[in-house]
Amino acid sequence: MSKEPPDHPVAGSTPSHPPSPHDSLEGEDRAEGSRRDRRRARRAIRSARRRALPRLRRLLPTWRIAVGGLLSLLLLGTAAFVALYLLVPVPDPNARAVAQSTVYYYADGTTELARTGKVNRQDVAIGQIPPAIQHAVVCAEDRSFYRNKGVDLKGMLRAAWRNLQSMAASGKGTQGGSTITQQYVKNFYLTQDQTITRKVKELFISLKVDRQQSKDDILAGYLNTSYFGRNAYGIQTAAHAYYGVDAAKLTLAQGAYLATLLQAPSSYDVKTSTPANRVKAVARWNYVLDGMVSMGFLRPAERASLTFPEPLDPKPTKSLSGQAGYLVGVVDDYLTNTGVLSAASLKAGGWKITTTFDKAKQDAFAAAVRSELTAQLDPKARPDADTHVRVAGASIDPATGRIVAVYGGPDYAGQPFNDATRQDNQVGSTFKPIDLAAGLEGNHSTQYGHRITTETLYDGDSRLSITGGPTAYAPSNEDDINYGDVTLRYAMMKSVNSVYAQLGVDIGLAEVRRTAVKLGIPETVPGMDPANTSMTLGTATPSAIDLAAAYATFANHGQAITPWPVLKLERPGDSEVPKLPGHPARAAVARGTADAVTDVLEDVVSPSGTGALALGLDRPAAGKTGTTDNNRSAWFAGYTPELAAAVGLFREDPKTHAKLPLAGTAGYARINGGAFPTAIWTAYMGGALRGTPVKHFDLQLDRDNQPAEAPPPRTAPGRPRSPVPAPSAPRMPAPASSPTPSPTAPPARLPTGRPSRPPTATAVPLLPGL
C-alpha cells in the first residue's frame, strides 16, 4: 500500500523542490538593507550628538578625522621622502670647489683695484691629521658626527628653536644645525647659495654620502675643503698659514685653534681682529677643549695644562701689494660682518665688487704719508726712533657715509696689518669734541649750576683735581701751563686737559659715552668706561675709520651714517645676488649742537690753535689734534664741508705689537697731533679736493654758543708752507710762520659760581698741541 507524501515537509527534511535564486537575493537584500539602516541610525545618532555640542566644539575635527588626516600626511610624507631620496643623486664634485677670481673695482666701476680668488689648498689624507686634531674639529662643529647618519634632526630642531628665540630678541637668527657631513656636501658637491633647493639637496645627498663613505673619508673631505681664513683652504695650508708646520705636526692646542676658526675665519684671527673678537676667539677655543673633555677625548689634567697658542703674523699676499690689500680687507670684512656673504662664499670667488674708494683720493693719501712723514724718517741714522713708525688713516664723505680712502700701511705685501681698522690706539684729545657735543646736547649744567655752552668758563690750571669723578684724577696740561679761567671754546683751541676732564664729570661720563656711540664710535671699543674719570681725555681706542665717522657726523650737521665701502655687488651669470644693506642717516645730535662744535673746531685751525698747520689747506676747515700719555700715539681728525678724515701716528714692536713711544721720531723729542698727523691730513685734503670749488660751512648757532669775542683768523689764503729747515736741523712741520703767541684767556661772559681769577698771561711757548 503506497503512502502519500505529506502535505508539508517535515522539519529538517530537504525541500521537495530546488531553492530559487530569487530567494537568496531577497535575503541578501534584506540583510544589506538592515545593515544600511543600522549605519544610518548610528550616523544619525552621532550627528545628533554633535549638534548638541557647543558651537566652538563642533568646529574641532573628531578623533577619527584627526587620526585619518595624520595618517594620510604621514603616508604622503614618507612617500615624498622616499621619492626624493631615490631621485636626488650624489653629483660629481662641484666645479666651484676650484675658486674663481673675484674682481674689485674703484668707485668708477671700471678701474680695477684688485683681483683675488686663486685657491690655496693642499689635500692631505686622514692619516696625516693627528687624531686629537680630528676630535677637536668634531667637538667644534658636530659633536654627534660619529653617531648621526649624515644629518642630525634633533640638532636642526634645536638650532631652529634657538634662532626663533634670537630673532624674537634681536631680529636675527644666528644658530646653525648642519652636521659635518652636510657642510662637506655643501663645500664639495653643491654651492654656498642660501636657497631652499640647495638645502633640500644637501639633506638627501648627506644621507646617501653617509651610507656610501666612511666617517674618516667624510671628515678628511671636510677638512680639505673648509676655509680657515688667510686665503687658506684645507687644514694643511691653514697649518702653514697660522703655525708654519704641516698638519701632521700641529699640537693639540694649535689644532683646537684651527677648529675655532671654522666658525668665523676672519673675525677669529687674533692677529688681525679687534680686541672684542679676540676675546670671542679665545672663548671659542676653550669651548672646543672643554667639549673634548666632556666627550672623553681629552683628560682634564691635560686640558688644564694647555695655554692659548698665539699664531704667526699673517704672511703677505703678493697679489694684493700696495694699498690694494688693505682696501680689499675693508670690503671683505664689511660683506661678511653685515651677513651679505659668508666668508666661504666670498672666497669661493666669481664676484664683481664695485667699492666706494676713489682712486685719486686713495693715491693722495699714500702720497701725503710719503711726503710729510716717510721722507723725514732716517732709520739708519735713528734706528731706535725712526723704525716701525706706522700711520692709520681714513676718509669719509659726510653726506653719504662712503669710505673714499683708507691708509692701512705702506704696502700690504710687506705689512699685512690694516692699521686703519685696528682698535688699540688711544685717540687722546681728538675725543674732546665728543665731550663738548655731550655738554651742549640737552640741558646740562656745571657743578655750580650754570648751563653749559661753548662760552662757559672753567678753571684751566694744570693738575687741577677733578671734582665729582668716580676716580681721583688731576690731569696735567701740555707743558704744565696754567690757563686760569677760560671758556670751553678757548680750552678746545688750546686743548686744555683740566677743563675737559671736569666738563665730562659735570655732564656725566655715562652720557659722554652714549654721545660717543651715537656719533659713530662703536660701543665695543675699549677705553670708554664711565668708571674712569680720564675717559673724557681720549682713553678710547676707536679705529681711524671709526674716528673719521664721528667727525663726519659733525660735518653732516649731527646726522650720522654708518661708514660703508661697497657700491655694487654682482656675480656674472647669477641672478640670485644678495642685496646690500641700506645706509640711512640717523639723528645723533641736534644740528645746533653739531654746528656749534664745528664753529669751535674752526678756531682750533687758526694761528693760535693746536691745529694751525692745517691752515695750509687754504679752505675752511675744522679739526682737533690729539696726543696720548707717554707720547705713544698722535692724531688729527678734521673736516671741510664736503670731506672728513682722521690720521693717527704710532710706533709698535713688530714682534709683540707693544706700543713704543714716538719720542725721538724724525729727531724730535716729542711728536704731537699738531705735527706730522696734521701735516699728513692737510696734504691729503689738499690733494683730494684739488680742483673742486671752495665751500664754506653752513652753520646755525644759537646766541649762547656765539664766540665771546671776534675769533682769530681761521684761514690764510695763499700762505706759503713752512720752508724746509737747514740740513743741520731736523725738519718739523711748523704750526705757523710766526712764533706761537702766549696763551691768553678771552673776557669772561658767564660767571663760574666761584671767585674768578684774572686770566693767566704766562709767556710759555706752546708747541702743536694735544
Side-chain angles (χ1 to χ4, degrees), residues 359-369 680 683-688 690:
K359 190 175 189 308
K361 291 180 174 62
Q362 186 63 44
D363 292 344
F365 223 137
V369 174
I680 294 170
Y684 160 69
M685 294 289 280
R690 184 175 292 116

Side-chain angles (χ1 to χ4, degrees), residues 39 87 135 155 163 205 235 280 300 356 477 498 534 592 657 701 729:
R39 286 196 297 269
L87 292 174
H135 297 155
N163 280 339
I205 294 172
I235 194 166
K280 293 178 182 179
T356 59
N477 297 328
S498 55
S534 60
H657 303 290
L701 305 176

Side-chain angles (χ1 to χ4, degrees), residues 94 96 183 186-188 190-195 198 225 342-346 348 571:
N94 187 0
R96 290 176 62 84
Q183 294 180 63
K186 180 175 64 176
N187 292 341
F188 195 66
L190 300 174
T191 70
Q192 303 293 328
D193 297 337
Q194 299 295 319
T195 63
R198 198 271 296 162
T225 57
S342 68
S345 180
L346 182 61
R571 176 183 273 169

Side-chain angles (χ1 to χ4, degrees), residues 601-657:
L601 295 186
E602 282 192 278
D603 287 351
V604 175
V605 183
S606 69
S608 299
T610 60
L613 194 63
L615 288 170
L617 182 60
D618 291 337
R619 288 173 178 262
K624 183 68 186 77
T625 55
T627 310
T628 61
D629 288 346
N630 301 316
N631 209 187
R632 295 189 184 275
S633 62
W635 291 82
F636 184 81
Y639 49 94
T640 63
E642 64 271 59
L643 191 62
V647 177
L649 184 68
F650 62 99
R651 291 181 66 228
E652 71 173 22
D653 186 297
K655 295 182 179 180
T656 66
H657 303 290

Side-chain angles (χ1 to χ4, degrees), residues 365 368-369 372-374 377 388-395 406-410 415 418-422 424-430 540-548 551 624-628 631-638 645-652 659-660 662 665 671-682 684:
F365 223 137
V369 174
E372 301 300 324
L373 174 67
T374 309
L377 301 178
H388 316 307
V389 181
R390 304 173 78 139
V391 174
S395 182
V406 166
Y407 187 86
Q415 179 197 298
N418 192 339
D419 290 330
T421 60
R422 63 192 302 163
D424 59 353
N425 289 298
Q426 293 183 347
V427 295
S429 293
T430 54
T541 60
S543 70
I545 294 176
D546 301 330
L547 189 60
Y551 276 65
K624 183 68 186 77
T625 55
T627 310
T628 61
N631 209 187
R632 295 189 184 275
S633 62
W635 291 82
F636 184 81
V647 177
L649 184 68
F650 62 99
R651 291 181 66 228
E652 71 173 22
K659 295 298 179 290
L660 303 173
L662 288 167
T665 299
I671 303 297
N672 294 328
F676 290 118
T678 306
I680 294 170
W681 183 91
T682 305
Y684 160 69

